Amino acid sequence: RRPLLSRCLQERACSPRGAAARKLPGMNTALAALMLVVVPCIAQRAMVIDDWPYRSYDCSKLAAAPTIDGDPSDWVAGESVLWTETFIDIERDKRPLPRFKTRAAMAWDDAHFYIAAEMEEPHLWGTLTRHDNILHHQNNFEVFIDPDGDGAMYHEVQINILNTIFDLLLVKAYRNGGPARHGWHVEGLESAVKLDGTPNDPADTDEGWSVEIAIPWAALKETAGAQCPPLAGDTRRVNF
C-alpha cells in the first residue's frame, strides 16, 4: 500500500476546500506507508521526505471518544475524518492494482490513537484465536507505528477477522537484523471487527470486513522517541 502523510487536528477540521473549523462528534496483497502529521487541516497531497514520496493524510482530533465496535461510521464520515485513498501495492506502478479495495482512516484524542480500515474480501477466513499467534500466516490487517520515523523501536499491531491481536516491538527493521520483541504488548489496546459475510465458509461469497483499533498513547510513550500524545503540527510515521 502506498506511502501517506497523516496529520492530527486540534478538535477542528477543514476540508481541502477550506471548510470552517468546528468540533467533531463523538488475502489483500497491498501495503501502505503513511506519515502522521499533526496540523489543523484535512488534506491528501504528495510530499517527499528523505527522498521518499508520501501521500499526506491529516488526522483529526476528536472531541469525544468513539465506540470501538468494528463499525467506524460513527466517526469516519463527511469532511471531518476522511478515508484514505484506496491502497495500492507498496511497489506502486511496478505492480498491478490489488484485486480488492482497502482503505483506512485515523483520528486521535489525548488518550488514544484511533485507526479504522475497510477491506473487500470475497472469502472471509481465519482460524488463529490466541493472542500473539503469528497472524500474517493468514489474511490480516497490520499497523506499523514509528512515531519519530527513525526505523527503530517501532510498534506493530496485527488483527484478523476473529479480532485476534498480535502486537510486538521492532528494535530495528528486519532488514537491519531485527530483533522483534514478541513479549511486548500494547497495554490497554481496544479493538473490534465487523464481518460482512460468513467466516470460513467457501460455499458463499462475502463482501468484506472492517476494523477499529484504539491504541493508548501511554502504551507507546516509553519507546516512541516523540511526544505522546502529539502536539498540533507534529509528524508521525505510520505504515499499513
Side-chain angles (χ1 to χ4, degrees), residues 1-88:
R1 297 169 193 171
R2 185 170 186 155
L4 306 176
L5 267 177
S6 82
R7 307 182 172 191
C8 303
L9 312 186
Q10 191 63 36
E11 294 186 354
R12 59 176 180 164
C14 61
S15 73
R17 297 181 181 179
R22 64 178 183 275
K23 287 208 172 186
L24 305 182
M27 175 184 279
N28 281 10
T29 57
L31 299 173
L34 299 163
M35 292 294 295
L36 175 64
V37 184
V38 189
V39 295
C41 180
I42 287 180
Q44 294 190 39
R45 61 183 181 279
M47 297 188 71
V48 177
I49 296 179
D50 297 331
D51 298 322
W52 182 269
Y54 291 91
R55 295 296 297 171
S56 70
Y57 177 92
D58 296 332
C59 186
S60 300
K61 185 176 184 182
L62 301 179
T67 300
I68 304 302
D69 58 5
D71 181 0
S73 61
D74 61 326
W75 60 278
V76 184
E79 297 178 345
S80 299
V81 179
L82 304 179
W83 288 108
T84 65
E85 298 170 333
T86 301
F87 288 3
I88 64 173

Side-chain angles (χ1 to χ4, degrees), residues 179-216:
R181 295 181 180 174
H182 290 190
W184 179 86
H185 301 301
V186 182
E187 297 295 337
L189 180 144
E190 298 178 55
S191 66
V193 301
K194 181 180 179 181
L195 308 183
D196 189 359
T198 308
N200 303 323
D201 183 358
D204 66 1
T205 299
D206 305 314
E207 295 297 325
W209 60 303
S210 58
V211 171
E212 285 184 294
I213 302 172
I215 298 176

Side-chain angles (χ1 to χ4, degrees), residues 25-213:
M27 175 184 279
N28 281 10
T29 57
L31 299 173
L34 299 163
M35 292 294 295
L36 175 64
V37 184
V38 189
V39 295
C41 180
I42 287 180
Q44 294 190 39
R45 61 183 181 279
M47 297 188 71
V48 177
I49 296 179
D50 297 331
D51 298 322
W52 182 269
Y54 291 91
R55 295 296 297 171
S56 70
Y57 177 92
D58 296 332
C59 186
S60 300
K61 185 176 184 182
L62 301 179
T67 300
I68 304 302
D69 58 5
D71 181 0
S73 61
D74 61 326
W75 60 278
V76 184
E79 297 178 345
S80 299
V81 179
L82 304 179
W83 288 108
T84 65
E85 298 170 333
T86 301
F87 288 3
I88 64 173
D89 193 275
I90 198 168
E91 295 190 71
R92 292 169 288 176
D93 296 339
K94 295 180 181 179
R95 299 289 181 180
L97 292 174
R99 290 180 296 164
F100 309 123
K101 179 181 177 181
T102 301
R103 60 182 184 173
M106 290 165 285
W108 68 295
D109 58 24
D110 288 335
H112 293 89
F113 176 36
Y114 301 103
I115 300 162
E118 285 188 343
M119 292 155 280
E120 291 182 351
E121 176 55 66
H123 296 293
L124 295 169
W125 180 68
T127 62
L128 301 175
T129 59
R130 182 171 56 84
H131 186 93
D132 280 353
N133 277 145
I134 310 301
L135 297 186
H136 56 255
H137 289 168
Q138 299 180 355
N139 291 338
N140 72 339
F141 181 73
E142 303 183 9
V143 183
F144 304 84
I145 304 173
D146 183 14
D148 60 2
D150 65 354
M153 300 299 286
Y154 65 88
H155 318 88
E156 179 175 347
V157 177
Q158 302 182 12
I159 186 170
N160 69 4
I161 66 164
L162 304 177
N163 197 28
T164 306
I165 294 293
F166 176 28
D167 49 359
L168 61 142
L169 179 70
L170 271 294
V171 176
K172 52 186 175 180
Y174 288 119
R175 67 177 180 273
N176 296 325
R181 295 181 180 174
H182 290 190
W184 179 86
H185 301 301
V186 182
E187 297 295 337
L189 180 144
E190 298 178 55
S191 66
V193 301
K194 181 180 179 181
L195 308 183
D196 189 359
T198 308
N200 303 323
D201 183 358
D204 66 1
T205 299
D206 305 314
E207 295 297 325
W209 60 303
S210 58
V211 171
E212 285 184 294
I213 302 172

